[in-house]
Amino acid sequence: MKEKKKRLGRPASKRGMGVTGKLVFATVGSAVLALALLLVVVYVQMSNALLEKSENLLLTTTERTLQETRAWMNSTLTMLETQRDTIEYEDMDIPTMQEYIRHTVGKSDAYPAGLYVALSDGSLYHASFVPGPDFDALSKSWYQDGVASQEFILGDVYFDEDSQSYVVGASGVLKNSDGSVRGVAAADVYLDSISKIVSNIQIEDTGGIFLVDTRTDTIIGHRDAEITGKKLSELTTGIYPYTSRQIQAKQYGLTLDKNTYIQVAAVPGSDWTAVAYVSQGEVLSELHQLTVIMLVVAVLVLQLHNREYYDVFLCSLTLLLFLIPSFVERRLHIDVPNTLEVIILLFIFSAEILGEIQEYYLIFPFWDTMLHTINGFLMAAIGIAMVDILNRSRRFKVRLSPVFVAVVAFCFSMTIGVLWEFFEYGMDTFFNMDMQKDT
């Protein structure tokens, strides 16, 4: 009877262990599945939030640029109209008008050469320019635009050889005291101020905004000085062909071309168009960083459940290392490019989580060599960034040549690599570790 009970008891024990194992497996599996679903939901929600943020950023940046451009135009054109109205109100004769025109020189940074007047008989009165016998003011586009407009309007953009600047003609009709047309008052307005407005705007790392004169298809303001002055339709790479088609078709608003958000908006009161752009990849770089951090947290929780406290320490150390780029940006006021920041995070993840915890150093013999190679390029990039910061600093007057920058980056990378090998050897020697993976 006892033997029977004993025999009957053993299967019950086995069944009990089996049920416990199944419950543990189901619990762990459910937790892993729930964590995976949570990661997916957070990823989708954050992706939508960041994309919406980028759209709002483009709209806000474009609107702010339009307001600054419009304010500059209003200020400049209002001063021109005031000076023209003075000539009309006082009904100045030729000598008095010539003296007044000379008085307008240097009164405004926007048009330092001052006001000039072309009368209906073809005569031109300018403070410094003396027209030749073949000069016909009546055939100029600025005269034809101005004589038909009561208010000052902007004309075609052209490059002024004397000042080496881009200039737009501004003109408006000039009348006699009886209301008849006397001629046109005009000025050459320099676009340096507009270029400064545009060049100072940066969206993420590589995004920005530029202005296009649609009458001449000329880019009149761009953060890249080499692109300013070029015909938009002649640029065949990047976002420019798509932007040119959008402007020609007068398709304004926010669109997505390949991997770039593009906002096209007309500048009121002119034939200019503002184009803002930002890479979708740069917008989502924050999401990629968050994804890597969430993966590390998930591994930390799993290792804590498995009571692998050394691996928990490595995960905590990884999270601490992830804070370094943000610390550099906030405390040292150094802008780390998003792409470089993501690469650094992935490198730390590959070294600590995959290499140490998942033992990729042992599973894949080339893993350590690959990371050392990537580390060399990373350190070289950081070395170049440090020299670039030095070049752009107002506290230093030095300007380093590209060859010297390359030498500094190479030496910096090699030095960091050697110091790291010393560190690994010291840890293996004095603390009996295996950081060099040679045992």
Side-chain angles (χ1 to χ4, degrees):
M1 201 60 178
K2 291 181 180 179
E3 292 180 0
K4 186 175 181 180
K5 288 182 179 179
K6 188 180 290 186
R7 285 195 299 269
L8 291 175
R10 287 176 183 174
S13 176
K14 289 183 179 180
R15 285 195 300 270
M17 291 297 293
V19 170
T20 302
K22 291 179 180 179
L23 287 175
V24 172
F25 178 80
T27 303
V28 174
S30 300
V32 172
L33 180 61
L35 181 61
L37 291 175
L38 178 62
L39 289 175
V40 171
V41 171
V42 171
Y43 185 92
V44 172
Q45 293 295 328
M46 286 295 298
S47 176
N48 293 334
L50 288 174
L51 291 178
E52 183 179 355
K53 169 190 170 185
S54 67
E55 294 177 3
N56 293 334
L57 179 61
L58 277 178
L59 292 173
T60 303
T61 302
T62 305
E63 183 63 28
R64 177 164 59 89
T65 304
L66 292 178
Q67 291 178 358
E68 292 181 5
T69 304
R70 186 59 182 166
W72 173 84
M73 290 172 54
N74 288 338
S75 174
T76 303
L77 297 182
T78 299
M79 181 173 288
L80 285 171
E81 290 175 356
T82 301
Q83 293 172 347
R84 179 203 56 185
D85 293 345
T86 300
I87 297 175
E88 291 181 343
Y89 178 77
E90 297 185 6
D91 196 17
M92 296 181 182
D93 55 20
I94 299 300
T96 306
M97 184 176 67
Q98 287 179 309
E99 180 63 27
Y100 181 76
I101 289 174
R102 286 191 290 269
H103 175 73
T104 62
V105 175
K107 294 298 182 180
S108 172
D109 294 335
Y111 54 101
L115 191 75
Y116 56 89
V117 173
L119 300 182
S120 56
D121 60 3
S123 58
L124 178 70
Y125 299 94
H126 195 287
S128 57
F129 175 71
V130 179
D134 297 331
F135 183 84
D136 183 13
L138 303 184
S139 64
K140 302 298 180 180
S141 60
W142 55 265
Y143 183 92
Q144 296 174 1
D145 292 338
V147 76
S149 176
Q150 298 291 331
E151 299 178 350
F152 268 78
I153 60 172
L154 299 177
D156 297 339
V157 175
Y158 64 93
F159 185 76
D160 183 52
E161 294 291 345
D162 295 334
S163 62
Q164 293 294 301
S165 300
Y166 285 91
V167 177
V168 59
S171 57
V173 65
L174 178 68
K175 295 183 177 181
N176 292 305
S177 58
D178 59 0
S180 60
V181 175
R182 186 181 183 185
V184 168
D188 294 329
V189 180
Y190 291 83
L191 299 179
D192 295 341
S193 299
I194 290 295
S195 298
K196 290 180 182 179
I197 293 175
V198 173
S199 61
N200 290 332
I201 296 176
Q202 181 171 335
I203 307 175
E204 299 296 344
D205 289 335
T206 59
I209 193 167
F210 60 92
L211 290 174
V212 181
D213 178 29
T214 56
R215 291 182 60 173
T216 60
D217 192 38
T218 304
I219 298 178
I220 59 176
H222 198 286
R223 58 184 297 186
D224 186 354
E226 295 182 356
I227 295 180
T228 302
K230 292 186 177 180
K231 300 289 185 180
L232 179 62
S233 58
E234 295 177 355
L235 300 176
T236 58
T237 59
I239 65 173
Y240 303 107
Y242 175 82
T243 304
S244 179
R245 293 193 298 270
Q246 292 292 103
I247 293 177
Q248 291 176 4
K250 296 184 178 180
Q251 297 291 330
Y252 302 115
L254 181 65
T255 56
L256 178 64
D257 176 45
K258 297 178 183 177
N259 191 40
T260 304
Y261 282 104
I262 300 176
Q263 170 76 18
V264 180
V267 179
S270 70
D271 294 312
W272 300 350
T273 300
V275 181
Y277 59 95
V278 65
S279 170
Q280 187 183 39
E282 292 181 2
V283 173
L284 295 178
S285 62
E286 298 179 11
L287 178 62
H288 299 154
Q289 298 170 18
L290 178 62
T291 303
V292 175
I293 293 175
M294 293 179 65
L295 288 175
V296 175
V297 173
V299 174
L300 186 149
V301 173
L302 183 61
Q303 297 305 316
L304 188 62
H305 177 269
N306 295 334
R307 298 183 180 180
E308 297 288 347
Y309 297 115
Y310 178 72
D311 292 345
V312 172
F313 167 74
L314 290 178
C315 291
S316 302
L317 178 62
T318 301
L319 293 175
L320 183 63
L321 293 175
F322 281 176
L323 298 177
I324 292 178
S326 299
F327 175 83
V328 171
E329 288 184 330
R330 294 178 181 178
R331 295 295 183 180
L332 303 181
H333 304 288
I334 297 175
D335 185 23
V336 180
N338 289 331
T339 302
L340 179 60
E341 188 170 348
V342 171
I343 293 175
I344 293 174
L345 297 185
L346 290 176
F347 176 81
I348 297 173
F349 183 84
S350 301
E352 298 297 331
I353 304 302
L354 298 181
E356 295 288 349
I357 297 178
Q358 300 300 321
E359 298 184 343
Y360 274 31
Y361 288 124
L362 302 178
I363 299 174
F364 304 104
F366 61 86
W367 194 257
D368 186 58
T369 303
M370 180 190 70
L371 289 182
H372 274 75
T373 303
I374 295 175
N375 178 70
F377 287 104
L378 271 179
M379 292 302 106
I382 294 175
I384 292 175
M386 292 173 60
V387 175
D388 181 60
I389 292 170
L390 179 64
N391 276 340
R392 291 185 294 177
S393 176
R394 296 181 179 179
R395 298 175 58 186
F396 301 94
K397 299 298 183 181
V398 295
R399 289 295 178 266
L400 307 180
S401 67
V403 175
F404 185 80
V405 171
V407 172
V408 170
F410 175 78
C411 293
F412 180 80
S413 176
M414 293 294 293
T415 303
I416 295 298
V418 171
L419 291 176
W420 179 255
E421 293 298 330
F422 285 165
F423 173 75
E424 287 185 341
Y425 177 78
M427 296 299 289
D428 292 351
T429 301
F430 299 108
F431 295 95
N432 198 27
M433 300 183 69
D434 187 27
M435 295 190 68
Q436 293 183 311
K437 310 302 177 192
D438 54 359
T439 60

